[in-house]
Short mmCIF file of all heavy atoms in Angstrom, two decimals:
data_model
loop_
_atom_site.label_atom_id
_atom_site.label_comp_id
_atom_site.label_asym_id
_atom_site.label_seq_id
_atom_site.Cartn_x
_atom_site.Cartn_y
_atom_site.Cartn_z
N LEU A 233 -8.85 25.36 -5.51
CA LEU A 233 -8.86 26.04 -4.23
C LEU A 233 -8.37 25.08 -3.14
O LEU A 233 -8.84 23.93 -3.16
CB LEU A 233 -10.30 26.56 -3.94
CG LEU A 233 -10.45 27.42 -2.70
CD1 LEU A 233 -9.72 28.74 -2.86
CD2 LEU A 233 -11.93 27.68 -2.49
N VAL A 234 -7.50 25.60 -2.28
CA VAL A 234 -7.03 24.77 -1.14
C VAL A 234 -7.51 25.44 0.14
O VAL A 234 -7.33 26.62 0.34
CB VAL A 234 -5.50 24.70 -1.20
CG1 VAL A 234 -4.95 23.87 0.04
CG2 VAL A 234 -4.97 24.05 -2.47
N VAL A 235 -8.07 24.55 1.00
CA VAL A 235 -8.58 25.05 2.27
C VAL A 235 -7.98 24.21 3.40
O VAL A 235 -7.74 22.99 3.28
CB VAL A 235 -10.11 24.86 2.30
CG1 VAL A 235 -10.68 25.22 3.70
CG2 VAL A 235 -10.79 25.78 1.26
N GLU A 236 -7.64 24.91 4.56
CA GLU A 236 -7.15 24.23 5.73
C GLU A 236 -8.22 24.37 6.78
O GLU A 236 -8.16 25.29 7.62
CB GLU A 236 -5.79 24.90 6.17
CG GLU A 236 -4.63 24.73 5.26
CD GLU A 236 -3.88 23.48 5.56
OE1 GLU A 236 -4.31 22.75 6.47
OE2 GLU A 236 -2.88 23.27 4.88
N PRO A 237 -9.25 23.47 6.81
CA PRO A 237 -10.33 23.59 7.78
C PRO A 237 -9.88 23.24 9.16
O PRO A 237 -8.80 22.63 9.41
CB PRO A 237 -11.36 22.60 7.21
CG PRO A 237 -10.58 21.58 6.55
CD PRO A 237 -9.34 22.29 5.93
N ASN A 238 -10.77 23.57 10.08
CA ASN A 238 -10.48 23.28 11.48
C ASN A 238 -11.36 22.04 11.89
O ASN A 238 -12.32 21.65 11.23
CB ASN A 238 -10.85 24.40 12.44
CG ASN A 238 -9.99 25.64 12.13
OD1 ASN A 238 -8.80 25.51 12.07
ND2 ASN A 238 -10.63 26.75 11.94
N GLY A 239 -11.00 21.35 12.94
CA GLY A 239 -11.75 20.24 13.39
C GLY A 239 -11.12 19.60 14.69
O GLY A 239 -9.97 19.80 14.96
N GLN A 240 -11.95 18.89 15.42
CA GLN A 240 -11.49 18.27 16.63
C GLN A 240 -10.73 16.94 16.43
O GLN A 240 -9.92 16.58 17.21
CB GLN A 240 -12.72 17.93 17.55
CG GLN A 240 -13.40 19.12 18.10
CD GLN A 240 -14.58 18.69 18.89
OE1 GLN A 240 -15.69 18.43 18.36
NE2 GLN A 240 -14.44 18.54 20.23
N LEU A 241 -11.04 16.26 15.28
CA LEU A 241 -10.49 14.90 15.09
C LEU A 241 -9.58 14.85 13.84
O LEU A 241 -9.94 15.36 12.81
CB LEU A 241 -11.63 13.89 14.89
CG LEU A 241 -11.22 12.43 14.62
CD1 LEU A 241 -10.47 11.89 15.77
CD2 LEU A 241 -12.47 11.61 14.34
N ILE A 242 -8.40 14.26 14.01
CA ILE A 242 -7.54 13.93 12.89
C ILE A 242 -7.23 12.42 12.94
O ILE A 242 -6.91 11.89 14.00
CB ILE A 242 -6.21 14.71 13.05
CG1 ILE A 242 -6.42 16.21 13.02
CG2 ILE A 242 -5.23 14.32 11.95
CD1 ILE A 242 -5.23 17.04 13.35
N VAL A 243 -7.44 11.78 11.81
CA VAL A 243 -7.29 10.29 11.76
C VAL A 243 -6.07 9.96 10.77
O VAL A 243 -5.83 10.78 9.88
CB VAL A 243 -8.56 9.65 11.31
CG1 VAL A 243 -9.61 9.81 12.31
CG2 VAL A 243 -8.96 10.00 9.91
N GLN A 244 -5.46 8.85 11.00
CA GLN A 244 -4.46 8.39 10.07
C GLN A 244 -5.10 7.93 8.78
O GLN A 244 -6.02 7.09 8.76
CB GLN A 244 -3.62 7.28 10.67
CG GLN A 244 -2.46 6.86 9.71
CD GLN A 244 -1.50 5.95 10.44
OE1 GLN A 244 -1.17 6.16 11.60
NE2 GLN A 244 -1.08 4.89 9.74
N ALA A 245 -4.59 8.46 7.64
CA ALA A 245 -5.14 8.12 6.35
C ALA A 245 -5.01 6.64 6.15
O ALA A 245 -4.00 5.95 6.42
CB ALA A 245 -4.40 8.85 5.23
N GLY A 246 -6.07 6.04 5.61
CA GLY A 246 -6.09 4.59 5.33
C GLY A 246 -6.55 3.80 6.51
O GLY A 246 -7.69 3.44 6.63
N ASP A 247 -5.62 3.58 7.46
CA ASP A 247 -5.91 2.66 8.59
C ASP A 247 -7.11 3.13 9.40
O ASP A 247 -7.87 2.32 9.93
CB ASP A 247 -4.65 2.51 9.47
CG ASP A 247 -3.52 1.76 8.76
OD1 ASP A 247 -3.83 1.09 7.77
OD2 ASP A 247 -2.38 1.83 9.22
N ALA A 248 -7.21 4.45 9.64
CA ALA A 248 -8.25 4.92 10.51
C ALA A 248 -9.37 5.67 9.77
O ALA A 248 -10.13 6.39 10.42
CB ALA A 248 -7.64 5.88 11.59
N SER A 249 -9.43 5.50 8.47
CA SER A 249 -10.45 6.21 7.68
C SER A 249 -11.83 5.78 8.11
O SER A 249 -12.77 6.58 8.11
CB SER A 249 -10.24 5.91 6.18
OG SER A 249 -9.09 6.60 5.79
N ASP A 250 -12.03 4.48 8.44
CA ASP A 250 -13.35 4.02 8.87
C ASP A 250 -13.77 4.69 10.12
O ASP A 250 -14.97 4.92 10.36
CB ASP A 250 -13.39 2.49 9.03
CG ASP A 250 -13.39 1.75 7.69
OD1 ASP A 250 -13.99 2.35 6.72
OD2 ASP A 250 -12.94 0.63 7.62
N LEU A 251 -12.83 5.00 10.98
CA LEU A 251 -13.18 5.81 12.21
C LEU A 251 -13.71 7.18 11.84
O LEU A 251 -14.67 7.66 12.36
CB LEU A 251 -11.91 5.90 13.15
CG LEU A 251 -12.15 6.80 14.32
CD1 LEU A 251 -13.24 6.32 15.25
CD2 LEU A 251 -10.80 6.93 15.10
N GLY A 252 -13.06 7.78 10.84
CA GLY A 252 -13.51 9.08 10.38
C GLY A 252 -14.90 9.00 9.84
O GLY A 252 -15.76 9.86 10.06
N ILE A 253 -15.21 7.94 9.12
CA ILE A 253 -16.57 7.75 8.54
C ILE A 253 -17.60 7.60 9.69
O ILE A 253 -18.65 8.25 9.67
CB ILE A 253 -16.61 6.53 7.62
CG1 ILE A 253 -15.78 6.78 6.35
CG2 ILE A 253 -18.08 6.19 7.21
CD1 ILE A 253 -15.65 5.58 5.46
N ARG A 254 -17.30 6.78 10.64
CA ARG A 254 -18.27 6.51 11.72
C ARG A 254 -18.48 7.73 12.51
O ARG A 254 -19.62 8.04 13.01
CB ARG A 254 -17.79 5.37 12.62
CG ARG A 254 -17.55 4.02 11.97
CD ARG A 254 -18.66 3.58 11.06
NE ARG A 254 -19.98 3.61 11.61
CZ ARG A 254 -21.05 3.24 10.97
NH1 ARG A 254 -21.01 2.90 9.71
NH2 ARG A 254 -22.24 3.32 11.61
N THR A 255 -17.44 8.58 12.69
CA THR A 255 -17.56 9.82 13.44
C THR A 255 -18.45 10.75 12.72
O THR A 255 -19.31 11.48 13.26
CB THR A 255 -16.19 10.44 13.70
OG1 THR A 255 -15.36 9.42 14.44
CG2 THR A 255 -16.29 11.65 14.56
N ALA A 256 -18.29 10.85 11.40
CA ALA A 256 -19.12 11.73 10.56
C ALA A 256 -20.57 11.21 10.59
O ALA A 256 -21.52 12.05 10.71
CB ALA A 256 -18.63 11.73 9.13
N ILE A 257 -20.80 9.97 10.48
CA ILE A 257 -22.17 9.39 10.56
C ILE A 257 -22.81 9.75 11.90
O ILE A 257 -24.02 9.99 11.97
CB ILE A 257 -22.14 7.92 10.37
CG1 ILE A 257 -21.76 7.56 8.88
CG2 ILE A 257 -23.49 7.21 10.71
CD1 ILE A 257 -21.55 6.08 8.57
N SER A 258 -22.01 9.81 13.02
CA SER A 258 -22.60 10.10 14.25
C SER A 258 -23.01 11.58 14.45
O SER A 258 -23.68 11.98 15.38
CB SER A 258 -21.57 9.80 15.37
OG SER A 258 -20.50 10.81 15.37
N GLY A 259 -22.62 12.41 13.43
CA GLY A 259 -23.02 13.83 13.41
C GLY A 259 -21.96 14.76 13.99
O GLY A 259 -22.23 15.90 14.33
N ALA A 260 -20.71 14.30 14.05
CA ALA A 260 -19.67 15.10 14.67
C ALA A 260 -18.86 15.97 13.73
O ALA A 260 -18.05 16.74 14.19
CB ALA A 260 -18.69 14.19 15.42
N GLY A 261 -19.15 15.86 12.46
CA GLY A 261 -18.41 16.72 11.52
C GLY A 261 -18.51 16.29 10.05
O GLY A 261 -19.23 15.33 9.69
N ILE A 262 -17.73 16.96 9.19
CA ILE A 262 -17.66 16.68 7.78
C ILE A 262 -16.40 15.95 7.48
O ILE A 262 -15.31 16.34 8.04
CB ILE A 262 -17.70 18.00 6.98
CG1 ILE A 262 -19.02 18.79 7.24
CG2 ILE A 262 -17.59 17.71 5.45
CD1 ILE A 262 -19.00 20.20 6.61
N PHE A 263 -16.42 14.92 6.70
CA PHE A 263 -15.30 14.06 6.44
C PHE A 263 -15.02 14.03 4.90
O PHE A 263 -15.91 14.03 4.09
CB PHE A 263 -15.50 12.65 6.96
CG PHE A 263 -14.24 11.79 6.94
CD1 PHE A 263 -13.05 12.29 7.37
CD2 PHE A 263 -14.32 10.45 6.53
CE1 PHE A 263 -11.92 11.45 7.38
CE2 PHE A 263 -13.19 9.63 6.52
CZ PHE A 263 -11.99 10.12 6.94
N ALA A 264 -13.69 14.01 4.55
CA ALA A 264 -13.29 13.92 3.12
C ALA A 264 -12.57 12.64 2.89
O ALA A 264 -11.68 12.29 3.69
CB ALA A 264 -12.38 15.11 2.80
N LEU A 265 -12.94 11.94 1.85
CA LEU A 265 -12.36 10.64 1.51
C LEU A 265 -12.69 10.29 0.10
O LEU A 265 -13.42 11.02 -0.60
CB LEU A 265 -12.93 9.58 2.48
CG LEU A 265 -12.21 8.21 2.54
CD1 LEU A 265 -10.75 8.36 2.98
CD2 LEU A 265 -12.97 7.22 3.40
N PHE A 266 -12.11 9.20 -0.40
CA PHE A 266 -12.43 8.75 -1.78
C PHE A 266 -13.92 8.58 -1.96
O PHE A 266 -14.60 8.04 -1.07
CB PHE A 266 -11.76 7.38 -2.04
CG PHE A 266 -10.25 7.41 -2.06
CD1 PHE A 266 -9.53 7.16 -0.95
CD2 PHE A 266 -9.54 7.71 -3.24
CE1 PHE A 266 -8.11 7.18 -0.96
CE2 PHE A 266 -8.21 7.75 -3.27
CZ PHE A 266 -7.50 7.47 -2.11
N GLU A 267 -14.43 9.03 -3.13
CA GLU A 267 -15.86 8.96 -3.36
C GLU A 267 -16.35 7.46 -3.27
O GLU A 267 -17.42 7.24 -2.72
CB GLU A 267 -16.15 9.53 -4.76
CG GLU A 267 -17.59 9.44 -5.12
CD GLU A 267 -17.86 9.97 -6.56
OE1 GLU A 267 -16.86 10.25 -7.28
OE2 GLU A 267 -19.12 10.13 -6.96
N ASP A 268 -15.57 6.58 -3.86
CA ASP A 268 -15.99 5.16 -3.88
C ASP A 268 -16.03 4.55 -2.46
O ASP A 268 -16.82 3.66 -2.17
CB ASP A 268 -15.06 4.35 -4.72
CG ASP A 268 -15.24 4.65 -6.21
OD1 ASP A 268 -16.26 5.21 -6.63
OD2 ASP A 268 -14.30 4.30 -6.97
N TRP A 269 -15.27 5.12 -1.60
CA TRP A 269 -15.18 4.61 -0.16
C TRP A 269 -16.41 5.10 0.58
O TRP A 269 -17.03 4.39 1.37
CB TRP A 269 -13.91 5.08 0.53
CG TRP A 269 -13.54 4.30 1.75
CD1 TRP A 269 -14.33 3.63 2.59
CD2 TRP A 269 -12.19 4.06 2.14
NE1 TRP A 269 -13.57 3.04 3.59
CE2 TRP A 269 -12.22 3.29 3.33
CE3 TRP A 269 -10.92 4.49 1.65
CZ2 TRP A 269 -11.11 2.88 4.02
CZ3 TRP A 269 -9.77 4.03 2.42
CH2 TRP A 269 -9.86 3.29 3.52
N LEU A 270 -16.88 6.34 0.23
CA LEU A 270 -18.04 6.90 0.93
C LEU A 270 -19.36 6.52 0.24
O LEU A 270 -20.41 6.67 0.87
CB LEU A 270 -17.88 8.45 0.94
CG LEU A 270 -16.81 9.06 1.76
CD1 LEU A 270 -16.85 10.56 1.71
CD2 LEU A 270 -16.90 8.61 3.25
N LYS A 271 -19.33 6.03 -0.97
CA LYS A 271 -20.52 5.81 -1.77
C LYS A 271 -21.52 4.94 -1.01
O LYS A 271 -22.75 5.25 -1.05
CB LYS A 271 -20.16 5.23 -3.09
CG LYS A 271 -21.41 5.10 -4.06
CD LYS A 271 -21.02 4.59 -5.40
CE LYS A 271 -22.21 4.61 -6.38
NZ LYS A 271 -23.39 3.86 -5.86
N PRO A 272 -21.17 3.82 -0.40
CA PRO A 272 -22.20 3.02 0.31
C PRO A 272 -22.97 3.85 1.39
O PRO A 272 -24.15 3.59 1.58
CB PRO A 272 -21.37 1.93 0.93
CG PRO A 272 -20.17 1.77 0.10
CD PRO A 272 -19.84 3.20 -0.36
N HIS A 273 -22.30 4.78 1.98
CA HIS A 273 -22.91 5.60 3.05
C HIS A 273 -23.72 6.67 2.42
O HIS A 273 -24.75 7.08 3.04
CB HIS A 273 -21.84 6.14 3.94
CG HIS A 273 -20.94 5.06 4.55
ND1 HIS A 273 -21.34 4.19 5.49
CD2 HIS A 273 -19.65 4.73 4.20
CE1 HIS A 273 -20.38 3.39 5.74
NE2 HIS A 273 -19.31 3.65 5.01
N PHE A 274 -23.38 7.12 1.22
CA PHE A 274 -24.29 8.07 0.51
C PHE A 274 -25.56 7.30 0.06
O PHE A 274 -26.65 7.84 0.18
CB PHE A 274 -23.58 8.61 -0.75
CG PHE A 274 -22.49 9.58 -0.41
CD1 PHE A 274 -21.34 9.69 -1.28
CD2 PHE A 274 -22.51 10.43 0.63
CE1 PHE A 274 -20.33 10.60 -0.98
CE2 PHE A 274 -21.52 11.38 0.94
CZ PHE A 274 -20.40 11.43 0.08
N ASP A 275 -25.35 6.09 -0.45
CA ASP A 275 -26.49 5.30 -0.94
C ASP A 275 -27.48 4.97 0.19
O ASP A 275 -28.66 4.90 -0.05
CB ASP A 275 -26.03 3.97 -1.58
CG ASP A 275 -25.24 4.24 -2.88
OD1 ASP A 275 -25.40 5.37 -3.45
OD2 ASP A 275 -24.54 3.37 -3.33
N SER A 276 -26.95 4.73 1.40
CA SER A 276 -27.82 4.34 2.51
C SER A 276 -28.44 5.66 3.17
O SER A 276 -29.44 5.43 3.97
CB SER A 276 -26.99 3.66 3.60
OG SER A 276 -26.04 4.52 4.19
N GLY A 277 -27.95 6.77 2.88
CA GLY A 277 -28.48 8.00 3.47
C GLY A 277 -27.83 8.30 4.81
O GLY A 277 -28.13 9.31 5.47
N GLU A 278 -26.86 7.51 5.31
CA GLU A 278 -26.15 7.80 6.51
C GLU A 278 -25.36 9.12 6.40
O GLU A 278 -25.22 9.87 7.36
CB GLU A 278 -25.18 6.65 6.89
CG GLU A 278 -25.86 5.34 7.29
CD GLU A 278 -24.84 4.29 7.54
OE1 GLU A 278 -24.04 4.02 6.63
OE2 GLU A 278 -24.87 3.74 8.64
N LEU A 279 -24.86 9.35 5.20
CA LEU A 279 -24.12 10.57 4.92
C LEU A 279 -24.75 11.28 3.65
O LEU A 279 -25.31 10.58 2.76
CB LEU A 279 -22.65 10.30 4.60
CG LEU A 279 -21.81 9.76 5.72
CD1 LEU A 279 -20.36 9.49 5.23
CD2 LEU A 279 -21.71 10.72 6.91
N LEU A 280 -24.64 12.56 3.63
CA LEU A 280 -25.15 13.30 2.49
C LEU A 280 -23.93 13.98 1.82
O LEU A 280 -22.94 14.44 2.52
CB LEU A 280 -26.13 14.39 2.91
CG LEU A 280 -27.47 13.90 3.53
CD1 LEU A 280 -28.29 15.09 3.93
CD2 LEU A 280 -28.16 13.02 2.53
N PRO A 281 -23.86 14.07 0.50
CA PRO A 281 -22.76 14.75 -0.24
C PRO A 281 -22.70 16.22 0.18
O PRO A 281 -23.70 16.88 0.36
CB PRO A 281 -23.09 14.56 -1.70
CG PRO A 281 -24.00 13.44 -1.73
CD PRO A 281 -24.83 13.52 -0.45
N VAL A 282 -21.46 16.69 0.35
CA VAL A 282 -21.22 18.12 0.67
C VAL A 282 -20.36 18.78 -0.41
O VAL A 282 -19.31 18.18 -0.76
CB VAL A 282 -20.61 18.26 2.09
CG1 VAL A 282 -20.17 19.67 2.35
CG2 VAL A 282 -21.53 17.72 3.16
N LEU A 283 -20.75 19.91 -0.97
CA LEU A 283 -19.96 20.59 -1.96
C LEU A 283 -19.66 19.74 -3.15
O LEU A 283 -18.51 19.81 -3.74
CB LEU A 283 -18.64 21.15 -1.36
CG LEU A 283 -18.82 22.30 -0.27
CD1 LEU A 283 -17.50 22.61 0.35
CD2 LEU A 283 -19.39 23.54 -0.93
N GLN A 284 -20.52 18.92 -3.58
CA GLN A 284 -20.30 17.95 -4.67
C GLN A 284 -19.79 18.62 -5.95
O GLN A 284 -18.92 18.06 -6.62
CB GLN A 284 -21.57 17.13 -4.98
CG GLN A 284 -21.26 16.02 -5.93
CD GLN A 284 -22.53 15.03 -5.92
OE1 GLN A 284 -23.51 15.22 -5.33
NE2 GLN A 284 -22.31 13.92 -6.64
N PRO A 285 -20.24 19.77 -6.33
CA PRO A 285 -19.69 20.42 -7.60
C PRO A 285 -18.21 20.78 -7.49
O PRO A 285 -17.59 21.05 -8.56
CB PRO A 285 -20.57 21.72 -7.73
CG PRO A 285 -21.81 21.43 -7.02
CD PRO A 285 -21.41 20.60 -5.85
N TRP A 286 -17.64 20.77 -6.25
CA TRP A 286 -16.26 21.15 -6.03
C TRP A 286 -15.36 19.98 -5.87
O TRP A 286 -14.15 20.13 -5.66
CB TRP A 286 -16.20 22.06 -4.87
CG TRP A 286 -16.61 23.45 -5.07
CD1 TRP A 286 -17.90 24.00 -4.91
CD2 TRP A 286 -15.83 24.58 -5.53
NE1 TRP A 286 -17.95 25.30 -5.21
CE2 TRP A 286 -16.66 25.69 -5.54
CE3 TRP A 286 -14.45 24.74 -5.90
CZ2 TRP A 286 -16.21 26.97 -5.96
CZ3 TRP A 286 -14.03 26.02 -6.26
CH2 TRP A 286 -14.87 27.09 -6.28
N TRP A 287 -15.89 18.73 -5.95
CA TRP A 287 -15.03 17.59 -5.66
C TRP A 287 -13.84 17.45 -6.61
O TRP A 287 -14.04 17.64 -7.80
CB TRP A 287 -15.88 16.30 -5.68
CG TRP A 287 -16.83 16.17 -4.53
CD1 TRP A 287 -16.97 17.01 -3.44
CD2 TRP A 287 -17.78 15.13 -4.33
NE1 TRP A 287 -17.95 16.53 -2.63
CE2 TRP A 287 -18.50 15.45 -3.12
CE3 TRP A 287 -18.13 14.00 -5.10
CZ2 TRP A 287 -19.45 14.60 -2.66
CZ3 TRP A 287 -19.14 13.22 -4.61
CH2 TRP A 287 -19.84 13.50 -3.39
N LEU A 288 -12.69 17.18 -6.08
CA LEU A 288 -11.48 17.12 -6.85
C LEU A 288 -11.30 15.73 -7.57
O LEU A 288 -11.41 14.70 -6.90
CB LEU A 288 -10.26 17.33 -5.93
CG LEU A 288 -8.90 17.25 -6.58
CD1 LEU A 288 -8.64 18.46 -7.50
CD2 LEU A 288 -7.79 17.17 -5.50
N SER A 289 -11.03 15.77 -8.86
CA SER A 289 -10.74 14.62 -9.60
C SER A 289 -9.22 14.34 -9.71
O SER A 289 -8.45 15.28 -9.73
CB SER A 289 -11.30 14.70 -11.02
OG SER A 289 -12.74 14.80 -11.01
N PHE A 290 -8.83 13.06 -9.73
CA PHE A 290 -7.43 12.73 -9.84
C PHE A 290 -7.29 11.39 -10.52
O PHE A 290 -8.18 10.61 -10.60
CB PHE A 290 -6.72 12.77 -8.50
CG PHE A 290 -7.35 11.86 -7.48
CD1 PHE A 290 -6.88 10.55 -7.26
CD2 PHE A 290 -8.49 12.26 -6.72
CE1 PHE A 290 -7.52 9.73 -6.35
CE2 PHE A 290 -9.07 11.45 -5.80
CZ PHE A 290 -8.62 10.15 -5.61
N SER A 291 -6.07 11.13 -11.06
CA SER A 291 -5.84 9.91 -11.75
C SER A 291 -5.75 8.69 -10.85
O SER A 291 -5.41 8.82 -9.71
CB SER A 291 -4.56 9.97 -12.59
OG SER A 291 -3.42 10.17 -11.75
N GLY A 292 -6.16 7.53 -11.37
CA GLY A 292 -6.19 6.35 -10.52
C GLY A 292 -4.81 5.76 -10.25
O GLY A 292 -3.77 6.30 -10.67
N PRO A 293 -4.73 4.68 -9.45
CA PRO A 293 -3.49 4.15 -9.00
C PRO A 293 -2.74 3.31 -10.09
O PRO A 293 -3.30 2.99 -11.14
CB PRO A 293 -3.89 3.28 -7.80
CG PRO A 293 -5.29 2.81 -8.19
CD PRO A 293 -5.90 3.95 -8.93
N PHE A 294 -1.50 3.00 -9.74
CA PHE A 294 -0.62 2.20 -10.57
C PHE A 294 -0.02 1.05 -9.78
O PHE A 294 0.34 1.20 -8.60
CB PHE A 294 0.49 3.01 -11.18
CG PHE A 294 0.05 4.09 -12.10
CD1 PHE A 294 -0.39 5.37 -11.62
CD2 PHE A 294 0.06 3.89 -13.49
CE1 PHE A 294 -0.81 6.36 -12.48
CE2 PHE A 294 -0.31 4.91 -14.36
CZ PHE A 294 -0.79 6.11 -13.85
#
Side-chain angles (χ1 to χ4, degrees):
L233 186 65
V234 178
V235 175
E236 293 272 2
N238 298 310
Q240 292 178 275
L241 178 64
I242 299 171
V243 298
Q244 183 169 319
D247 291 343
S249 292
D250 283 332
L251 173 60
I253 292 173
R254 300 316 306 179
T255 304
I257 290 172
S258 75
I262 300 172
F263 191 44
L265 193 61
F266 294 93
E267 179 182 8
D268 290 341
W269 202 327
L270 292 179
K271 188 177 184 302
H273 306 287
F274 290 146
D275 292 343
S276 69
E278 293 176 304
L279 295 177
L280 297 178
V282 173
L283 293 172
Q284 190 167 6
W286 285 89
W287 288 356
L288 178 71
S289 297
F290 54 95
S291 62
F294 293 84

